[in-house]
């Protein structure tokens, strides 16, 4: 069973930065397109950034230019660098395949507040 372990969240002031990490216990990690998802309080989980096996990245409009997704296939880890954070970025952040076919991990909480 694939395990996803997100980390790096925390409380940060508006304008601050965080770097999230997600360690993935799966063989052939490099074969999978990966994504970061966010679930804000009272909202549905949404995909905010994705990265292809070749490293191509896409973002939702609300984070474009502020967030950067990357991956290290040797470490089986996907990252999300979040800059210029806003209160509306608050939520639980999860990683998964782009198709979201693995069981979800615990997520990591990001709170942006002054």
């Amino acid at each position: 069973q694939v395990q996803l372990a997100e980390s790096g969240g925390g409380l940060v002031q508006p304008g601050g930065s965080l770097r999230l990490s997600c360690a993935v216990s799966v063989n052939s990690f490099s074969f999978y397109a990966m994504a970061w998802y966010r679930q804000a309080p009272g909202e549905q989980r949404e995909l905010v950034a994705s990265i292809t096996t070749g490293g191509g990245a896409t973002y939702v409009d609300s984070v474009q230019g502020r967030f950067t997704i990357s991956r290290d296939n040797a470490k089986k880890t996907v990252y999300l660098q979040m800059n210029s954070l806003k209160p509306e970025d608050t939520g639980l952040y999860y990683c998964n395949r782009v198709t979201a076919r693995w069981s979800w991990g615990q997520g990591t909480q990001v709170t942006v507040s002054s």
Side-chain angles (χ1 to χ4, degrees), residues 83-103:
N83 298 327
S84 302
L85 282 161
K86 303 177 180 180
E88 52 263 44
D89 295 319
T90 293
L92 261 173
Y93 283 72
Y94 303 86
C95 71
N96 208 316
R97 291 173 61 180
V98 167
T99 55
R101 289 187 176 179
W102 293 328
S103 296

Side-chain angles (χ1 to χ4, degrees), residues 67-87:
F67 289 11
T68 303
I69 188 172
S70 60
R71 64 190 299 158
D72 185 330
N73 291 333
K75 294 183 179 179
K76 300 182 181 180
T77 299
V78 60
Y79 303 97
L80 187 67
Q81 177 67 44
M82 306 187 296
N83 298 327
S84 302
L85 282 161
K86 303 177 180 180

Side-chain angles (χ1 to χ4, degrees), residues 13-113:
Q13 292 187 343
S17 297
L18 285 173
R19 188 192 193 207
L20 308 185
S21 300
C22 175
V24 184
S25 65
V26 68
N27 291 329
S28 303
F29 170 76
S30 62
F31 290 0
Y32 299 103
M34 295 295 299
W36 281 96
Y37 299 79
R38 174 173 68 198
Q39 187 165 22
E43 302 283 338
Q44 299 266 17
R45 187 155 36 201
E46 64 167 339
L47 189 155
V48 297
S50 63
I51 187 166
T52 67
T53 56
T58 59
Y59 305 91
V60 295
D61 287 348
S62 60
V63 308
Q64 180 75 46
R66 301 187 297 119
F67 289 11
T68 303
I69 188 172
S70 60
R71 64 190 299 158
D72 185 330
N73 291 333
K75 294 183 179 179
K76 300 182 181 180
T77 299
V78 60
Y79 303 97
L80 187 67
Q81 177 67 44
M82 306 187 296
N83 298 327
S84 302
L85 282 161
K86 303 177 180 180
E88 52 263 44
D89 295 319
T90 293
L92 261 173
Y93 283 72
Y94 303 86
C95 71
N96 208 316
R97 291 173 61 180
V98 167
T99 55
R101 289 187 176 179
W102 293 328
S103 296
W104 295 96
Q106 296 296 311
T108 187
Q109 176 68 40
V110 172
T111 303
V112 185
S113 175

Side-chain angles (χ1 to χ4, degrees), residues 1-16:
Q1 183 177 351
V2 177
Q3 292 189 329
L4 303 167
E6 301 91 350
S7 62
L11 172 63
V12 63
Q13 292 187 343

